Amino acid sequence: MRYIRPLVQTDPARPKGAVTLAGGWCWFDRVEVLSREAAPAVLPVAALTPEELAPLTAPRAPVAGLTMDAPRVMAILNLTPDSFSDGGSHFGQELEDGLALAAEADMLDIGGESTRPGAEEVSVEEETRRVAPVISALRESGCGTPISVDTRKAEVARAGLAAGADMVNDVSAMLFDPQIAQVTADAGAPICLMHAQGSPETMQDDPRYTDVLLDVYDHLAERVAAAEAAGIARARIVVDPGIGFGKTMAHNLALLGRLSLFHALGCPVLLGVSRKRFIGTIGEAEDPVARMPGSLALAVLAAGQGVQLLRVHDARETRQGLRLAGAQWGM
């Protein structure tokens, strides 16, 4: 099997024969062809078959009403006591903080269960109690920003969508609770499918891959197919390589270095890397809050690879960074 990674550019000097990536702000005229059997090779776009080129160039459908022709900021609102970066920080001011984030972001991602390494599972009842009332309150307050409910559980997704959420963000890619696929399909909502190796309780114990890039790609391709089989159109599917979920620092860096491969799935790509441990290790920042500069750098680099959705804690800073980068890219 050939895996096709576009060598993405944003330079204003665009050569003849270059094609636009996913209907967005980037272009490419060469690709890296990867395989499990042969060494990588760089080829011109003209060497691709129509079937290989089509998913790379087809414009992405809007997600929860957001067009995918510019990088979008998804702000994190964790309603948990034990999230690795901001656990408990929103307690008592969930609505106020949610409205403030909504003013800075294109989308809110609201979750009631921590999926940090070592985190324990939360009951459906408790997770619903944390999430659904806040989503309802935001909608009743006139918040029109799209909302994603961050959950692995079908009943929590159902409650979140009923309360006014627009999208489901499932870090298990429908494997933890397969009924979440039917809930999403019945609602006609988009879903984000993330790669994770193992559960939060054990995922960082000893993660191993044959080839992390191709293994993650194949897993996401399988989960996209499963979502389509459940009645969720590919136009409503987002993919996320799951940085930090069952991955060492070397795995994370390998995925980030060839991130553009995931455009070949024909879906918008989401990156959730904000404040993660390896940023602190490389950037010498033990406090998660102090990892904002490194998180911003990776967000801008990802947008330069055509990533459409950036899940972040620091929405205002990320938006500012993207505006400056976009000004250089002619956006």
Side-chain angles (χ1 to χ4, degrees):
M1 175 178 172
R2 298 204 321 172
Y3 300 81
I4 309 299
R5 183 176 77 90
L7 300 182
V8 180
Q9 302 288 324
T10 55
D11 197 279
R14 175 172 170 161
K16 184 178 179 180
V19 294
T20 300
L21 176 69
W25 57 98
C26 301
W27 59 266
F28 63 101
D29 63 347
R30 295 172 301 148
V31 299
E32 182 183 36
V33 177
L34 301 166
S35 164
R36 294 185 184 273
E37 296 80 30
V42 174
L43 299 177
V45 164
L48 299 182
T49 68
E51 293 75 20
E52 290 172 328
L53 187 59
L56 297 173
T57 57
R60 304 305 186 238
V63 173
L66 294 174
T67 60
M68 295 288 100
D69 56 357
R72 301 296 185 179
V73 175
M74 172 190 273
I76 300 166
L77 183 63
N78 281 325
L79 306 178
T80 60
D82 56 344
S83 291
F84 80 95
S85 174
D86 57 354
S89 65
H90 300 294
F91 285 177
Q93 54 190 40
E94 295 91 344
L95 177 58
E96 294 82 357
D97 289 355
L99 290 171
L101 283 170
E104 299 291 346
D106 299 298
M107 181 183 286
L108 291 177
D109 191 45
I110 299 178
E113 178 184 56
S114 175
T115 50
R116 62 173 175 78
E120 296 182 357
E121 183 181 338
V122 175
S123 71
V124 169
E125 295 75 19
E126 175 61 18
E127 190 178 346
T128 301
R129 185 193 67 77
R130 293 174 181 179
V131 168
V134 175
I135 296 173
S136 293
L138 286 165
R139 291 301 186 222
E140 290 167 4
S141 297
C143 176
T145 301
I147 293 174
S148 166
V149 56
D150 182 359
T151 184
R152 303 179 289 169
K153 305 182 182 77
E155 289 308 312
V156 178
R158 191 191 309 278
L161 291 166
D166 306 280
M167 172 174 160
V168 175
N169 183 12
D170 182 0
V171 299
S172 80
M174 310 182 306
L175 289 171
F176 181 84
D177 183 352
Q179 291 302 311
I180 203 168
Q182 196 61 54
V183 168
T184 305
D186 290 346
I191 188 168
C192 181
L193 305 174
M194 193 196 80
H195 175 275
Q197 187 182 96
S199 65
E201 294 91 336
T202 62
M203 63 187 181
Q204 291 304 109
D205 288 354
D206 186 25
R208 295 175 182 237
Y209 298 87
T210 302
D211 181 314
V212 65
L213 182 71
L214 304 186
D215 290 355
V216 170
Y217 182 95
D218 285 347
H219 176 87
L220 289 174
E222 291 171 1
R223 301 317 300 155
V224 168
E228 289 184 302
I232 304 171
R234 189 173 291 245
R236 293 191 283 115
I237 300 171
V238 176
V239 294
D240 176 354
I243 300 298
F245 281 77
K247 298 171 183 75
T248 65
M249 183 190 299
H251 295 147
N252 291 332
L253 294 175
L255 290 167
L256 290 169
R258 284 183 162 88
L259 195 57
S260 60
L261 172 67
F262 297 99
H263 293 296
L265 291 166
C267 303
V269 179
L270 182 149
L271 184 70
V273 72
S274 178
R275 298 185 182 179
K276 292 194 172 176
R277 181 180 297 276
F278 81 99
I279 295 175
T281 301
I282 296 172
E284 300 180 351
E286 183 174 350
D287 181 358
V289 176
R291 298 171 192 164
M292 184 277 291
S295 302
L296 173 57
L298 289 178
V300 172
L301 287 170
Q305 291 298 299
V307 171
Q308 291 93 349
L309 287 159
L310 299 156
R311 184 179 182 273
V312 303
H313 296 87
D314 303 291
R316 178 182 298 179
E317 292 84 353
T318 303
R319 183 180 289 279
Q320 183 183 98
L322 291 173
R323 282 177 175 159
L324 268 293
Q328 306 304 308
W329 302 336
M331 296 178 60

